[in-house]
Amino acid sequence: MGDAVELVGRREERAALEGAFHRALQGQRTVVSIRGEAGIGKSALLGEVRLLARANGVAVVWTSVTEAESGIGWGGLATLLHGLSPALIESRHPTHTEALRAVMGAGDTTALQPLTVAAALADVLRHLTDAGPAVVAVDDLHWLDAASAGALSFALRLLADVPLLFVVASRPVRLPIELARVVDADDLFVVEPSPLSVAGVRELLIDKFDVQLGRVELVRLHTATGGNPLHLISTGRLLHAGTPFGEALLPASLREIIDVELRRVAAVHLAVLGAAALMPQPRLGLLRQLFDTDAVDTAIGAAEAIDLVRINGDMIAFRHPLLIAGLADRLTTAERRALHRRCSELDVTDEVRAFHVSEAAEGVDSVAADLLDAAANAATDRGLFANALVHAERALTLTDPADTGLVRRRTIRVADVAIDSGEARRALALLSPLLDGADVEGPDWPQVLQLAAFATASVHGMVAALPMLEQLALIHPVGSVARADAIGRVATALLPIDIGRTAHVCAEAEAAALAAGDHHLAQVAAAARVIADTLAGRPTEPSRAEPAAAVSMSVLLDWFAIAVWTDDHERAEQLYQEGRRRLSARPTVTHEHNLLNQAADLRLRQGRLDEAAALAERALVLADAIDHGGARSSDVAVIAALRGESEVARRHAAWASSVGDALPPVLLAQTKYGVGVVEALAGNLRGALGALREAVTMWDKAGALDLGALPLRSELAEVLLLTGEVDEAEALVTRMQELAEAAGRPRGRAEAVFASAHLLAARGQLDEAAIQADIAIAAYQALDLPVYRARALLMAGSIARRRRLRTHARVLLDEAVVLFTECGAAGYLPRVQAELSRLGERSGPDQLTATEQQIAALVAAGQTTHEVAASLFVSRRTVESHLTRIYRKLNVRSRAELAARYQGR
């Protein structure tokens, strides 16, 4: 059955595919989702994409997934990678090459860390497009295993800038890749094939079978088949063979259609084809281990001749998934189990072997349970928690209930994997009987308590889990790493809820650790305490130890956060590099996410917004894996708003808002802050006011009083004044001044002064406001915070304009433009332009502005850049930026030419 023939009557769908394909040809990443019920023609439309690619010389990477493969980790990705050039895989970074080879079953399985595999896949697909556009196609996406889906989702997010067409076919069910969240709406095309019309039925029968029916028969056939192409092809084949029309209409269900298809298979071939249907990844080589080679070749050849299967090298692909189910159903239960037992002895991976063992087992089976246990452990080591959960649960069901000790151990194991898989409720259901038992002195009690705490936190929130976490910390002996880790978990759980209590718990733990000589716990507790004290707005003494001295990645991340929040950029950079080094040796999703998240904040503060955006996007990808996606989307929204990407900002702000109020106060404050910034820059001041008020309320509720970790109070003060809420703003500014003095940190003082200048300007005290604005500008410059300095310049320019100091106002506003532009903060430029417009007409594009005229005159007079900057109270970088534009406008290339131009005037 040819794909092109099957597309008769699919002109609209084909046009949509062609449009998406040519969009990718033009260099834009494009995603197409073909959705429809079984037999509706999804695979045929997918085949059309392959034909388009072949006709245009475009590379195609293809995978087709079966239901049996859905529980086999990396199965779908392995098939996909087999379609790539080996040279492309081998030319990658050694770590990436090792990971991809392991996915394909040719390398060390310990290299199968999900994050490494995902990064390697993104790298390979990026290089695949170096020679031009490429197509990645996945048939039956709904059966793609979780590990492969995660890697593809990660790669798709990272490949937004490459000419790639990602096209999938699936049934209309929940998919393992949430395409609508992975790509922008403009990049996603959904094609939903509808049943063929009567005209389409007629066209199909003529083109494929040379069968012509009258109008009445056509309508009857269309009614009987519902326009389903698979049903129609089966019926058309019967009509072509001479079957009377009435008999040809009899099959009424897809299963019956498949039965009709399979009747063409000789009985002697059914055993071979049935075995292939039972295999997650059927291969000729595996079948030849089960059956005589001639029998395999004859059976597969016969199936290929009637288009039941297609062969690609050693791999066997069934034309339609329902054929697999139909073949398996033709085997008795005893025959299926016997074949699965034989398949488990083949040269297959541990996970495939576990699948066959599981399918062959019945009742209590200790051998099968042990094998499944081993497969669960292997899957866990490779980060394939969904697969591990399937194996672990099956092992538990096959365990002898009389062996209570083994049942308990396997119950705990299933709960452990369930938590890692995001099935916290399942874990709680398993652990509840153990928590109610009396075995609190047993050796596995700490593990039970720890798992119960994690599961409780996921289902009911951190507050509900705290008693368990605190009890867990007391169980472990003083001086043990386990005790230190438990204290760290208590701090992590408490921090988003109650910062004051976090500081108290950590201070107690730190004192106890110092008394016991426990260096590990002392460092963990101290780092967490300083985090809490910093957020609480108290004076702190952060560790100045070398980054390499951090006893754990968690401690290093705490140090990094403190350095970022206190604007210690040099130390923050050192800690960031150390974090990257550690992650390259031992990557974990949570640590990678936390490092990227803080690094994005660091780059924002440094005025490197393009880098900040890239880091925040990568952090968001990882946040999805640890259920922080909604909260972290607000970070992306803020950076996008600052960069002037209003559509991106609005989309991520909406996602952040959809998370609801179930988040802990600190995370909720961050989310509301993001929404507030987006609304403020979009001009929706009332919307911004509501979000920022909530943010400050949540910040206060958690005890977060620092002004620099998240500048939400100064943001609220500015919006309050812009909306005329002067009295409320005054109370807020007074509070900010008190907090700044209590903490004693430069950033807090800068924020308080910035807000104070706004308040004074709103009160009409312009001279005092100008003084405070100048102090804020200098403070932000000393802290090397260019975006915030540019905001202070904008405010100062507005104050100068109101004081009728037009030239000085233009100087300040021009410098703000330069800074905002250099940082990539285009979102603020409309505000600056609005202020400049209030100063009157601007000069033409090739004429010098007032500021440029001043600078040009001073430079022509022989002043150095430093002297000009001092004369005009601006930075050297501002003078240099103005000079670049002056040279261009006057068509001169040096100071000498500029001086000559002015001397000739």
Side-chain angles (χ1 to χ4, degrees):
M1 179 169 56
D3 287 332
V5 174
E6 289 183 49
L7 279 171
V8 293
R10 299 292 192 194
R11 291 183 177 83
E12 291 185 9
E13 291 92 336
R14 182 161 39 199
L17 291 177
E18 289 175 350
F21 180 80
H22 288 294
R23 187 176 187 272
L25 284 183
Q26 294 166 5
Q28 301 179 73
R29 179 199 59 185
T30 306
V31 176
V32 176
S33 175
I34 305 172
R35 293 169 62 86
E37 298 294 346
I40 201 68
K42 303 184 298 297
S43 296
L45 289 169
L46 208 57
E48 174 71 4
V49 177
R50 298 175 75 176
L51 293 175
L52 283 170
R54 192 178 303 135
N56 287 272
V58 172
V60 180
V61 187
W62 177 283
T63 188
S64 180
V65 193
T66 66
E67 186 174 11
E69 290 175 273
S70 62
I72 305 300
W74 303 118
L77 185 56
T79 308
L80 192 73
L81 292 173
H82 277 292
L84 289 170
S85 161
L88 187 63
I89 294 173
E90 295 294 337
S91 66
R92 306 275 56 80
H93 184 282
T95 303
H96 287 178
T97 297
E98 184 181 6
L100 296 180
R101 283 175 54 80
V103 168
M104 299 167 69
D108 181 6
T109 57
T110 60
L112 286 172
Q113 293 297 330
L115 187 59
T116 304
V117 173
L121 176 64
D123 185 32
V124 163
L125 294 180
R126 181 176 294 279
H127 284 278
L128 179 67
T129 62
D130 283 348
V135 173
V136 174
V138 181
D139 200 359
D140 287 317
L141 179 70
H142 48 278
W143 281 328
L144 188 66
D145 62 279
S148 299
L152 277 171
S153 180
F154 182 92
L156 269 178
R157 282 186 185 271
L158 294 187
L159 297 175
D161 58 339
V162 302
L164 179 72
L165 175 62
F166 182 71
V167 55
V168 301
S170 69
R171 294 181 187 174
V173 296
R174 183 182 177 90
L175 300 178
I177 300 178
E178 295 186 60
L179 296 172
R181 285 178 56 182
V182 172
V183 298
D184 295 343
D186 292 342
D187 295 339
L188 178 60
F189 295 77
V190 178
V191 177
E192 296 182 330
S194 56
L196 290 179
S197 64
V198 173
V201 172
R202 179 178 180 278
E203 189 178 350
L204 184 148
L205 292 176
I206 292 173
D207 284 357
K208 185 161 181 63
F209 302 108
D210 196 24
V211 170
Q212 297 194 46
L213 298 177
R215 175 69 182 175
V216 174
E217 290 177 322
L218 276 174
V219 172
R220 285 184 62 196
L221 178 58
H222 181 267
T223 302
T225 61
N228 183 290
L230 184 63
H231 196 160
L232 284 164
I233 289 167
S234 177
T235 307
R237 187 175 284 117
L238 292 173
L239 293 171
H240 180 70
T243 303
F245 183 79
E247 292 182 24
L249 291 183
L250 288 179
S253 70
L254 286 176
R255 181 53 55 86
E256 289 175 308
I257 294 169
I258 294 303
D259 286 341
V260 171
E261 293 272 322
L262 293 178
R263 285 181 201 139
R264 297 184 294 148
V265 179
V268 69
H269 302 323
L270 285 176
V272 172
L273 294 174
L278 295 181
M279 294 177 177
Q281 296 169 330
R283 297 177 183 274
L284 291 172
L286 294 176
L287 289 175
R288 287 166 182 158
Q289 294 178 41
L290 290 176
F291 303 97
D292 178 76
T293 299
D294 289 340
V296 171
D297 292 345
T298 303
I300 296 300
E304 192 175 17
I306 58 176
D307 200 25
L308 290 184
V309 301
R310 294 164 186 172
I311 308 301
N312 180 13
D314 187 49
M315 299 179 66
I316 303 167
F318 285 89
R319 176 173 53 81
H320 198 280
L322 289 176
L323 292 171
I324 298 173
L327 284 166
D329 285 349
R330 286 176 175 267
L331 301 170
T332 66
T333 300
E335 288 172 334
R336 280 200 301 274
R337 285 177 175 159
L339 272 176
H340 276 301
R341 273 192 291 273
R342 291 178 63 191
C343 288
S344 70
E345 298 169 359
L346 298 176
D347 183 18
V348 292
T349 65
D350 290 343
E351 202 165 6
V352 172
R353 180 171 291 105
F355 164 75
H356 286 303
V357 166
S358 175
E359 292 297 310
E362 53 181 319
V364 172
D365 190 327
S366 60
V367 174
D370 289 343
L371 280 172
L372 287 162
D373 244 356
N377 290 336
T380 300
D381 290 342
R382 303 202 310 270
L384 304 176
F385 301 118
N387 303 75
L389 181 59
V390 172
H391 301 323
E393 287 191 312
R394 181 64 172 144
L396 181 58
T397 63
L398 298 177
T399 304
D400 184 355
D403 190 344
T404 56
L406 185 56
V407 169
R408 181 182 176 90
R409 288 196 298 276
R410 283 186 172 151
T411 299
I412 295 171
R413 175 68 174 137
V414 174
D416 191 359
V417 180
I419 290 171
D420 287 333
S421 304
E423 299 285 346
R425 292 186 184 277
R426 168 69 174 142
L428 271 183
L430 288 163
L431 293 169
S432 291
L434 305 185
L435 289 171
D436 295 336
D439 194 14
V440 296
E441 301 297 331
D444 60 14
W445 178 247
Q447 185 183 12
V448 171
L449 197 58
Q450 176 176 310
L451 294 175
F454 287 167
T456 300
S458 297
V459 176
H460 303 297
M462 284 295 187
V463 174
L466 274 174
M468 295 179 188
L469 289 171
E470 291 172 331
Q471 183 183 353
L472 185 63
L474 297 175
I475 288 175
H476 296 298
V478 174
S480 67
V481 173
R483 188 181 182 91
D485 290 343
I487 289 292
R489 282 193 294 272
V490 170
T492 301
L494 268 175
L495 192 66
I497 302 166
D498 189 334
I499 292 169
R501 188 176 169 195
T502 305
H504 178 71
V505 167
C506 292
E508 284 189 344
E510 184 182 4
L514 290 172
D518 183 348
H519 171 68
H520 187 110
L521 178 54
Q523 195 181 85
V524 169
R529 175 185 55 78
V530 175
I531 281 277
D533 283 341
T534 300
L535 284 175
R538 287 190 285 270
T540 57
E541 294 181 13
S543 171
R544 304 306 302 177
E546 288 295 317
V551 297
S552 68
M553 188 65 182
S554 295
V555 168
L556 184 78
L557 289 168
D558 283 351
W559 289 357
F560 184 33
I562 295 162
V564 172
W565 293 343
T566 57
D567 298 297
D568 187 348
H569 294 178
E570 182 178 355
R571 178 164 173 78
E573 202 66 55
Q574 294 169 352
L575 291 162
Y576 177 45
Q577 297 307 323
E578 173 65 12
R580 292 179 62 185
R581 185 192 68 76
R582 293 193 185 196
L583 279 174
S584 66
R586 188 175 181 180
T588 70
V589 171
T590 300
H591 288 158
E592 176 86 354
H593 163 265
N594 292 341
L595 185 74
L596 290 173
N597 190 50
Q598 289 296 344
D601 191 6
L602 174 63
R603 293 293 182 252
L604 187 158
R605 292 165 187 256
Q606 292 172 330
R608 296 156 65 175
L609 291 186
D610 289 348
E611 294 176 54
L615 290 165
E617 284 280 3
R618 287 171 58 196
L620 180 58
V621 171
L622 299 180
D624 275 347
I626 51 178
D627 294 330
H628 292 161
R632 288 283 75 87
S633 63
S634 62
D635 300 335
V636 177
V638 168
I639 296 170
L642 294 178
R643 297 174 75 206
E645 298 175 336
S646 56
E647 201 57 48
V648 175
R650 277 197 294 270
R651 186 172 67 254
H652 283 285
W655 184 13
S657 296
S658 70
V659 175
D661 298 336
L663 290 171
V666 168
L667 290 179
L668 187 56
Q670 292 173 335
T671 298
K672 297 296 184 182
Y673 167 72
V675 173
V677 170
V678 171
E679 295 291 356
L681 283 172
N684 180 13
L685 296 179
R686 286 295 168 187
L689 186 57
L692 291 169
R693 276 174 171 156
E694 286 187 72
V696 172
T697 298
M698 290 298 104
W699 210 234
D700 285 341
K701 181 179 180 180
L705 304 177
D706 184 66
L707 299 177
L710 194 67
L712 72 180
R713 296 181 196 273
S714 59
E715 190 78 37
L716 174 59
E718 183 175 8
V719 174
L720 283 169
L721 292 168
L722 289 172
T723 53
E725 304 287 346
V726 180
D727 292 340
E728 184 180 344
E730 184 166 16
L732 178 60
V733 170
T734 301
R735 177 63 171 152
M736 289 177 66
Q737 291 167 339
E738 293 169 352
L739 294 175
E741 288 307 310
R745 283 190 281 276
R747 176 63 185 275
R749 292 194 177 104
E751 292 294 310
V753 170
F754 177 75
S756 178
H758 265 300
L759 177 63
L760 289 167
R763 293 288 192 195
Q765 299 169 256
L766 297 179
D767 292 343
E768 294 90 335
I771 294 171
Q772 294 295 298
D774 288 343
I775 294 172
I777 292 169
Y780 286 131
Q781 184 168 8
L783 290 165
D784 191 21
L785 300 170
V787 173
Y788 297 94
R789 180 167 176 264
R791 290 185 64 185
L793 284 164
L794 169 58
M795 175 181 63
S798 176
I799 293 169
R801 175 186 59 77
R802 293 173 61 191
R803 295 172 70 204
R804 302 186 184 281
L805 301 175
R806 297 171 61 83
T807 300
H808 183 50
R810 193 176 295 282
V811 168
L812 292 167
L813 294 172
D814 281 346
E815 185 172 5
V817 169
V818 170
L819 269 180
F820 282 135
T821 303
E822 289 176 348
C823 294
Y828 275 106
L829 292 179
R831 290 190 181 184
V832 186
Q833 295 303 331
E835 281 297 329
L836 285 168
S837 68
R838 294 188 180 100
L839 291 172
E841 287 294 322
R842 300 301 310 272
S843 55
D846 295 325
Q847 293 179 303
L848 301 186
T849 66
T851 302
E852 289 167 350
Q853 290 173 5
Q854 283 185 296
I855 291 173
L858 293 172
V859 170
Q863 285 196 14
T864 65
T865 300
H866 178 75
E867 289 169 338
V868 174
S871 299
L872 298 179
F873 301 99
V874 296
S875 69
R876 292 185 60 184
R877 188 167 62 175
T878 299
V879 174
E880 291 166 353
S881 297
H882 278 302
L883 272 175
T884 299
R885 290 195 293 276
I886 291 167
Y887 288 168
R888 177 180 55 77
K889 289 181 178 181
L890 298 182
N891 195 26
V892 299
R893 290 177 290 181
S894 66
R895 287 171 177 261
E897 289 187 23
L898 179 63
R901 174 71 66 88
Y902 266 70
Q903 288 171 1
R905 290 189 173 187

